[in-house]
Amino acid sequence: DPVSNMPVVILRDTEKGLFLPIWVGIFEANAIALEMEKVTTPRPMTHDLLKNLLAELDAHVERVVINDLRENTFFARIHLTRKDSTLSVDSRPSDAIALALRSHAEIFVEEDVLEKSRSLRVEGDQDPDRLRKWLEQASPDELGKYRM
């Protein structure tokens, strides 16, 4: 985002055309970008470690859900399965997304989060609808791949 100079992850529903921008830190963006670009690191990064730990524990990520938005902060849950049990773990959305990408798990957004996000303001942005307008008009090709 050129206004805030912060990386933004854009989750987009290809069927309905809905989208959700989530501003993330540079390190979190890097973790997501590394997996999207299939970059192999010489040693496991944190999200690779989490994936490896889950595999060793015979557990896997079933899905990730962006489930709340409070005071301009998004919240997520990582849903895990292990044998016959399920577990839901609180997470920052950026970490949940990075783990979901590595685990090939689906990413969902609660409907009320989409509603709440319509009034989300970006710090320092004089035109809060600027990004939303651009995203509504942008095609998937225009959005392109994330680059670090």
Side-chain angles (χ1 to χ4, degrees):
D1 179 9
V3 172
S4 65
N5 203 27
M6 290 288 297
V8 60
V9 171
I10 301 165
L11 300 179
R12 188 170 194 167
D13 180 333
T14 55
E15 292 177 12
K16 296 180 182 177
L18 300 172
F19 60 87
L20 180 68
I22 301 176
W23 283 262
V24 299
I26 191 70
F27 298 112
E28 294 81 0
N30 187 51
I32 292 168
L34 285 172
E35 183 59 28
M36 287 180 69
E37 295 174 10
K38 300 296 181 204
V39 174
T40 305
T41 57
R43 300 288 300 140
M45 301 297 286
T46 303
H47 300 93
D48 301 313
L49 171 64
L50 286 171
K51 179 185 165 220
N52 295 342
L53 278 171
L54 290 171
E56 287 297 319
L57 294 169
D58 197 26
H60 71 276
V61 178
E62 192 69 32
R63 69 186 177 284
V64 161
V65 180
I66 313 301
N67 68 325
D68 203 1
L69 172 59
R70 295 187 305 253
E71 299 176 17
N72 280 0
T73 301
F74 288 95
F75 294 79
R77 305 286 305 173
I78 301 170
H79 295 267
L80 306 166
T81 58
R82 183 174 186 257
K83 299 182 182 174
D84 292 334
S85 63
T86 60
L87 181 65
S88 175
V89 180
D90 182 33
S91 175
R92 296 184 307 176
S94 55
D95 292 327
I97 291 167
L99 185 58
L101 290 172
R102 285 164 175 77
S103 304
H104 306 286
E106 291 185 299
I107 302 169
F108 295 94
V109 178
E110 295 281 349
E111 292 284 338
D112 65 317
V113 173
L114 289 171
E115 282 301 314
K116 289 178 184 178
S117 74
R118 294 185 193 280
S119 61
L120 189 64
R121 293 188 61 89
V122 179
E123 197 67 35
D125 196 344
Q126 299 304 315
D127 181 8
D129 292 327
R130 173 195 56 80
L131 180 63
R132 186 163 306 285
K133 289 174 191 171
W134 180 77
L135 288 171
E136 286 172 350
Q137 297 170 353
S139 71
D141 290 336
E142 289 175 304
L143 293 175
K145 280 185 71 176
Y146 185 89
R147 302 214 194 295
M148 287 297 292

